[in-house]
Amino acid sequence: MKRRSLIAAAIAAPAALAAPRVARAQAQHNWKLVTSVPRGLPGPGVSALRWAERITQMSGGEIRVQVFGAGELVAPFGTQEAVESGTAEAYHGSGSWFSGRDIAHSFFTAAPFGLTFDEMHAWMYYGGGQELLNEFTNDRNLQIFIGGGSGVQTAGWFKNEVKSLDDLKGVNFRAAGLYGEVLRKVGVNPVSIPPGEIFAALQSGTLDGAEWVGPANDLAFGFENVAGYMYAPSPVEIYGGIEFGINLDAWQALTDAQRTMVEAVSEAEANRSSADTFHANLQAYEKLNAAPDLVIDTFPDDVWQALKDASREVIDEVKDTSDFHRRFVEAYYAYARKSTEYKRYYDTPFLVERESFFS
Amino acid sequence: MKRRSLIAAAIAAPAALAAPRVARAQAQHNWKLVTSVPRGLPGPGVSALRWAERITQMSGGEIRVQVFGAGELVAPFGTQEAVESGTAEAYHGSGSWFSGRDIAHSFFTAAPFGLTFDEMHAWMYYGGGQELLNEFTNDRNLQIFIGGGSGVQTAGWFKNEVKSLDDLKGVNFRAAGLYGEVLRKVGVNPVSIPPGEIFAALQSGTLDGAEWVGPANDLAFGFENVAGYMYAPSPVEIYGGIEFGINLDAWQALTDAQRTMVEAVSEAEANRSSADTFHANLQAYEKLNAAPDLVIDTFPDDVWQALKDASREVIDEVKDTSDFHRRFVEAYYAYARKSTEYKRYYDTPFLVERESFFS
């Protein structure tokens, strides 16, 4: 509890001017940042490197951040535990990968009919999201900052056309986390399989379909060569967020000026990496759109209706996990509902009208 | 030309590690930042202060940024010229305010059926937007970074219902910039009037309607008390951007590490201030939605059709200004068109399906 209130004070207090240079120069921080992807992988790998380089450079080396790719220091999905224990000072990864440790982690990546990119940032910085994140992670010696999102993801790739809900019954479909839970309730058989094996499983027929991320990441796997139908948008993977988790002791050992660097670079990265992914998706989508034998569509109405019903059930189940989870999920969806009301007369009709402007 | 290529190199080059501390400590930069709004005004005023404080703090005072509100050092809309001449080192303001100096400035705030918030950031950082901005400003001794946007704005407030295009003919309507040009072509009489006088002009009947920004800023003026109809979204003010302009000599006098600070803090601010405005809009919209006598709606179909035709004419007129403007506008709309294609199966249907999920 003491730890938590210290952090809250550090975040909430207006930034004081830096201590004199002499004082600043006293401490040297050597940070290890662990990621779950290969070092420098386009998208998340580049984002982790840029975060590390910017902090190292602007601190004049007072905080020197060294990046370790998947498996170089710890197991790919052992990064969060490594930061809690102090094996590493920071990790960069998707919240949903840690949802087995606490289901609330998933909501910063994938939540049924959840927050979009702009909504997530507003909720985190101004709507109480950061405080809720602190509440279930500070006690585990973690300080997490959001680091950007993929935007609304693809619902999935299918070998056969989805003409109605019946076509989803019993299909073997690669899906992770809460999306898998929602799909199970509408009759899909969700399969857990490592990313590197999805293509071969689709090709051999072991899988009838699969979801991964969005155009840029999916194109890299070449799914359009083994599945003729691409459906978007996903009903669950909306923000698609990646985060920076920092060891709380390492965070508290920083000066105010150094904390401002880490916070500002994280906020810049949430902006930059989202823009990077968005741009990459535009280029990839153009290629997919030009693929002669690929059908791009949205799910039919009865599938959407079933997905909505199933999503409500899944959300209720998460709420029932604990008092904290009820409070967390209710706060999250109250924000989503409020923004949905707002966008009803702003973003949504604008996008619809612009479509006809360009067609 | 020499100046321009230096800047391009500084931006494109991978960040080198900072010079040793001894070298970093040699130069002291005292920057004056001028804004067009009162110092500390909620939204843009707070954003300018946070940018200044973060840079001052994380540089240990090597760059000390002092903020001057509207009229404190230069006239409210003389800020860009003041930075070009070196009277101030930086300004914070909306690009559209400088569109009289070059119409291309407007596109970073308001462009007919233009780029949304996420699209603008992707275009600027990865799609060639920053390079085009540099092209028409570096020669004027300016280095500009985007600083966040309001998101899709309100189309306008009207004293009478807009049931069809006929209801727009001849109405006296406060509108600025390219939006005013589009409205003129559909028969509106656009009126230029200082923001502080809009409320009284609506009340007295001098104006039949007015546009300002979005829910948060409009609610601050109390427009719902003098105009019973609010229409959204705007067909022109989509990103609603505000930018940081920096004197090029001052920018070039910085070390690599200091430039990384200014760049990262600007990118963080583009994220933060957008989230701030978005959150404020959600709260304000909820209040407007609860106002008993206010009608909130979108324009009828024939108005949208006329606005699209008028927008195409206005865009063509801007293109014809010069070879640069043709290239600039074509690049801008090529990006918007590409993103529109992409969002057709991602953001747009997701927002529509989520609406029914929550209703």
Side-chain angles (χ1 to χ4, degrees), chain A residues 94-123:
Chain A
S94 172
S96 65
W97 297 335
F98 314 116
S99 58
R101 309 188 69 217
D102 189 320
I103 189 65
H105 279 298
S106 182
F107 284 73
F108 299 91
T109 303
F113 295 93
L115 298 175
T116 60
F117 157 82
D118 48 343
E119 296 164 348
M120 176 61 90
H121 289 200
W123 183 59

Side-chain angles (χ1 to χ4, degrees), chain B residues 177-191 310:
Chain B
L178 289 176
Y179 188 27
E181 291 307 304
V182 169
L183 287 176
R184 189 192 309 278
K185 286 185 193 294
V186 304
V188 170
N189 177 34
V191 178

